[in-house]
Amino acid sequence: VFLVDLSLEHQPLTIVDENTRVLSNGNFQGEVVKFPDVSVLKSVCSTHTISVVPEPQFFAARDYIKKSEHMSNIVKANKKVVVVAKQPVTELALIMDSVAGFIFEEGSLLCHLGIILREAHIPAVFLDNALLAIEDGANLMCFDGKVKIG
């Protein structure tokens, strides 16, 4: 099954079976950073209510966020992390170049961040109660949509 939305994205979502809850295909591993509150991203993004911003504005917001104290645990030198968050909000695109993969508790397969992640080849999955089940700093691996901790 292939799902393609009206944006005509070049990396359509492939669903392996009805039980797979994959937002963006691919495997990933890394140290977990829980990010339960995206308000820190929204507070520095004056354009958070729209999906498309001029490139200079995007890079300016990304640079500002990466320098903020709230993001120091996510943006680590030469180390990609696994971000665990409630929902795939568009503002997370600002940090995606520092992320090996995402785990979300809820969201839509055709959300804007899902499209961006598929285009950028950054894997993401949905996992119920991920913020409760996964500890900060845990080593995590996701292979074929299956999450393994430890």
Side-chain angles (χ1 to χ4, degrees):
V1 175
F2 290 98
L3 298 177
V4 181
D5 72 6
L6 296 177
S7 71
L8 301 175
E9 61 182 295
H10 292 69
Q11 296 296 323
L13 173 66
T14 304
I15 298 179
V16 178
D17 64 46
E18 63 210 40
N19 297 318
T20 303
R21 297 178 56 221
V22 175
L23 178 60
S24 179
N25 293 318
N27 303 318
F28 58 90
Q29 65 182 37
E31 181 181 326
V32 170
V33 176
K34 290 167 64 169
F35 199 28
D37 183 11
V38 295
S39 64
V40 65
L41 291 175
K42 291 185 177 189
S43 68
V44 297
C45 297
S46 61
T47 59
H48 73 272
T49 58
I50 61 173
S51 296
V52 180
V53 296
E55 189 174 337
Q57 191 173 354
F58 174 84
F59 287 116
R62 186 187 69 178
D63 292 344
Y64 179 83
I65 284 173
K66 286 185 173 190
K67 292 175 184 171
S68 74
E69 64 181 88
H70 297 95
M71 302 306 290
S72 63
N73 61 340
I74 291 179
V75 181
K76 297 180 178 185
N78 301 319
K79 188 173 183 181
K80 301 253 182 173
V81 297
V82 175
V83 171
V84 179
K86 184 80 171 165
Q87 298 173 322
V89 296
T90 305
E91 289 81 7
L92 289 170
L94 294 167
I95 62 166
M96 69 184 192
D97 62 335
S98 299
V99 177
F102 287 93
I103 298 176
F104 300 109
E105 289 188 338
E106 58 189 43
S108 166
L109 293 176
L110 297 178
C111 67
H112 192 198
L113 184 64
I115 295 165
I116 293 169
L117 293 175
R118 289 190 290 277
E119 286 295 316
H121 304 283
I122 299 172
V125 296
F126 294 110
L127 179 65
D128 292 337
N129 301 310
L131 289 166
L132 291 174
I134 302 171
E135 296 294 324
D136 244 339
N139 287 315
L140 183 140
M141 175 190 290
C142 182
F143 186 75
D144 287 339
K146 308 290 187 245
V147 176
K148 180 180 177 185
I149 302 169

